Amino acid sequence: MLNIVLFGPPGAGKGTQSQKLIDTYHLIHLSTGDLLRSEIAAGTELGLRAKGLMDQGMLVPDEVVIGMIDSKLKENKDAVGFIFDGFPRTVKQAESLDVLLDQNNTAISGMIALEVSEEELTKRLLLRGQTSGRPDDQNEELVRKRVQEYNTKTAPVAGYYANQGKYHAINGIGEIEAIFTEICDIIDSYATQLKA
């Protein structure tokens, strides 16, 4: 199974590249935000638990998110693979994900990180705020805070996968197609290793 962690700060281009990868490799997109929304909409036990916490302004605990990912893996046993987007965000989550995938007889093939400078991210997010109407993308102070939070909390996850020899960084600035080609080259090398 081809399992990719697509990594990068808000505004790095993960959404754009995810869609292209899904179309090309027929992978299932696992976005924790989408998962939470669909579980809540379906009124599942995990969804109700998550909603209760979110309504109190609390973060959804890792075990609830891992439970949702587990459900998705079991629903899609015949999948070619998955793209993990927005998860794992911490080393603890990465460790839990490894355990879960191992229980499902698979593993992370690799992490692809889109690297973009803080200035470029701020510019992109503020521009996105003008077109998307997302309030969190319209306030420069909030945007910079989100990027800093990413750098502090999420960046150590890169080290976790680097220690496993699964980390690949790509310059996220440039033509979308050129970046996509670079990502495909890395994924094709994963696919070759899986067949070996």
Side-chain angles (χ1 to χ4, degrees), residues 146-161:
R146 278 167 55 210
V147 172
Q148 270 183 324
E149 175 135 332
Y150 168 84
N151 289 333
T152 310
K153 290 187 179 165
T154 315
V157 179
Y160 176 81
Y161 287 109

Side-chain angles (χ1 to χ4, degrees), residues 61-71 87 93 96-97 100:
D62 291 353
E63 64 269 16
V64 173
V65 179
I66 285 284
M68 291 178 182
I69 292 171
D70 190 31
S71 299
F87 192 89
Q93 288 178 351
S96 298
L97 183 59
L100 175 68

Side-chain angles (χ1 to χ4, degrees), residues 53-186:
L53 292 164
M54 288 160 74
D55 287 348
Q56 294 170 50
M58 294 165 72
L59 286 174
V60 178
D62 291 353
E63 64 269 16
V64 173
V65 179
I66 285 284
M68 291 178 182
I69 292 171
D70 190 31
S71 299
K72 201 78 173 161
L73 290 171
K74 287 180 169 47
E75 279 169 33
N76 297 282
K77 282 187 189 295
D78 299 329
V80 174
F82 295 86
I83 288 185
F84 293 88
D85 175 2
F87 192 89
R89 287 179 192 233
T90 64
V91 171
K92 186 173 173 280
Q93 288 178 351
E95 291 168 347
S96 298
L97 183 59
D98 276 355
V99 169
L100 175 68
L101 292 173
D102 187 51
Q103 289 167 353
N104 285 275
N105 302 314
T106 187
I108 291 296
S109 307
M111 168 191 264
I112 298 172
L114 296 172
E115 295 189 332
V116 181
S117 70
E118 194 168 325
E119 284 314 303
E120 176 65 19
L121 289 170
T122 304
K123 202 167 74 181
R124 284 184 187 184
L125 289 168
L126 291 171
L127 194 65
R128 185 169 84 180
Q130 291 169 12
T131 55
S132 72
R134 279 179 57 167
D136 57 339
D137 286 346
Q138 293 171 8
N139 178 320
E140 187 170 339
E141 196 181 327
L142 276 181
V143 164
R144 288 188 184 276
K145 195 173 174 185
R146 278 167 55 210
V147 172
Q148 270 183 324
E149 175 135 332
Y150 168 84
N151 289 333
T152 310
K153 290 187 179 165
T154 315
V157 179
Y160 176 81
Y161 287 109
N163 288 339
Q164 295 181 7
K166 296 180 176 181
Y167 176 78
H168 294 88
I170 287 180
N171 182 353
I173 301 175
E175 292 293 317
I176 289 171
E177 283 306 321
I179 295 167
F180 180 64
T181 300
E182 215 177 322
I183 294 173
C184 289
D185 289 346
I186 293 169

Side-chain angles (χ1 to χ4, degrees), residues 2-47:
L2 190 60
N3 298 312
I4 309 296
V5 175
L6 195 58
F7 202 63
K14 294 186 302 296
T16 303
Q17 296 297 343
S18 277
Q19 196 48 59
K20 293 174 79 62
L21 292 169
I22 290 160
D23 295 343
T24 304
Y25 293 96
H26 312 293
L27 301 171
I28 292 175
H29 188 220
L30 267 182
S31 155
T32 47
D34 292 348
L35 272 181
L36 280 169
R37 285 185 286 277
S38 68
E39 293 278 339
I40 289 167
T44 67
E45 188 182 330
L46 284 171

